[in-house]
Amino acid sequence: MKIKINPEYEHLRSSILEVVAGNYVADKVFCHRRNIVEKITMKGKEYVVKTYKRPNLCNRIAYTYLRKSKARRAYEYALRLLDNGVATPLPVAYVEVKRGGLFSTGYFFAEYIPDALMSDAFNGTVQDGEKAKLSKDFIDFTFSLHAKGILPLDFNSSNIFYRYDEESGHYKFALTDINRMKFGKVPSTSAVMHSFEQFGVQVDGLYKLAVYYCVQTKADVEYSIFIFLFHRIKSRIKRTMKRKAKRGMKEK
């Protein structure tokens, strides 16, 4: 087993090992699908732990010898985002567990933040009048990410926290679920529109976001919307084919 703990959280080592051993009770379960995301308490303070599903054999070999695990990337990318002035829950630790000499599963620990998610904002928790301001501030945040050469590859509304900052009069944002990121250069229009397509809200809202982004960055609006719709249709076809494949498996 490999364990990497942020020096500021070394006092949590024994508690982290207890969680990995399964000796804990979750305060709340946020997600229990492919991966498990839970809120836990360690030493009287709230944290989040993400337990990654055991990958297939090919990926177990890859994570052992060729690639960094998702848990390690989440930890290292969090530090990198913070160094670039981008908010994300403070990384506490990551753990990699091996079975039979190969990577088996990983754990990523981070501080818990109580902010709301953008998915909630676009599904009715924010009034229409305030939603326009939230959307504008969100595009400004997204533009600042891209200007720094940062492109989240899982840029959906369930992975972005938001809160209103009274002092500045603007909404502030923080990224989570960050093990898939690109760093280093300003992303292309195609890459940006693809990330917007992942956002997971109604197409009219996404259209407005995309147009506003193009105005801010002086990108070609018609070309950008074409790329955006291309990725949206591609995703819809993919989902339809998956549903048909599952239906066919059940009928056999």
Side-chain angles (χ1 to χ4, degrees):
M1 181 173 68
K2 177 181 179 181
I3 178 170
K4 172 69 176 179
I5 300 178
N6 187 324
E8 295 182 18
Y9 301 95
E10 183 60 39
H11 63 286
L12 295 175
R13 180 177 289 269
S14 60
S15 299
I16 289 170
L17 292 174
E18 286 294 310
V19 172
V20 173
N23 301 324
Y24 74 102
V25 176
D27 301 329
K28 184 175 182 179
V29 179
F30 297 109
C31 175
H32 198 309
R33 294 192 292 271
R34 182 176 59 182
N35 304 312
I36 304 172
V37 182
E38 300 166 305
K39 183 173 72 172
I40 59 174
T41 300
M42 297 188 293
K43 305 291 187 182
K45 188 173 180 180
E46 293 177 322
Y47 298 90
V48 170
V49 56
K50 183 170 185 177
T51 306
Y52 293 91
K53 179 184 176 182
R54 180 178 177 176
N56 59 40
L57 180 58
C58 289
N59 281 332
R60 290 183 66 201
I61 294 171
Y63 290 146
T64 302
Y65 301 109
L66 303 174
R67 299 170 56 200
K68 295 179 180 180
S69 70
K70 293 180 179 180
R72 178 176 175 179
R73 278 181 276 150
Y75 177 87
E76 293 181 351
Y77 288 175
L79 293 175
R80 196 164 179 179
L81 286 174
L82 292 169
D83 284 344
N84 279 278
V86 179
T88 188
L90 294 172
V92 173
Y94 75 89
V95 180
E96 296 174 340
V97 178
K98 289 185 177 181
R99 295 282 187 271
L102 294 177
F103 176 89
S104 179
T105 190
Y107 300 81
F108 172 59
F109 295 79
E111 287 211 352
Y112 168 74
I113 59 175
D115 297 345
L117 290 169
M118 287 290 284
S119 55
D120 299 327
F122 283 100
N123 288 321
T125 60
V126 176
Q127 295 181 351
D128 289 341
E130 196 61 22
K131 195 176 292 185
K133 179 171 178 53
L134 175 63
S135 298
K136 180 182 181 302
D137 287 347
F138 172 68
I139 288 297
D140 291 340
F141 165 73
T142 304
F143 176 67
S144 72
L145 282 180
H146 296 164
K148 293 174 181 177
I150 300 171
L151 179 68
L153 297 180
D154 198 3
F155 200 54
N156 72 67
S157 56
S158 296
N159 292 338
I160 304 167
F161 294 106
Y162 78 96
R163 63 179 175 83
Y164 184 72
D165 182 55
E166 294 282 354
E167 185 176 342
S168 66
H170 292 281
Y171 285 95
K172 301 294 184 181
F173 304 88
L175 300 178
T176 186
D177 200 2
I178 55 173
N179 60 274
R180 296 178 63 239
M181 308 276 291
K182 279 188 177 181
F183 295 90
K185 65 178 183 178
V186 176
S188 66
T189 299
S190 179
V192 170
M193 290 303 116
H194 188 197
S195 71
F196 278 143
E197 193 284 319
Q198 296 175 321
F199 203 61
V201 298
Q202 295 297 321
V203 69
D204 58 337
L206 277 171
Y207 177 83
K208 292 175 183 177
L209 289 176
V211 170
Y212 181 70
Y213 182 90
C214 292
V215 171
Q216 293 295 96
T217 59
K218 297 181 173 57
D220 185 298
V221 175
E222 289 187 359
Y223 172 74
S224 299
I225 297 303
F226 170 78
I227 295 297
F228 164 74
L229 291 174
F230 168 79
H231 287 299
R232 170 53 63 98
I233 293 169
K234 185 178 176 182
S235 294
R236 179 177 292 181
I237 292 172
K238 187 176 180 180
R239 289 194 297 269
T240 300
M241 292 179 68
K242 277 187 176 181
R243 284 197 297 268
K244 287 183 177 180
K246 286 181 180 179
R247 195 180 303 126
M249 292 291 291
K250 290 180 180 179
E251 292 175 353
K252 287 184 179 180

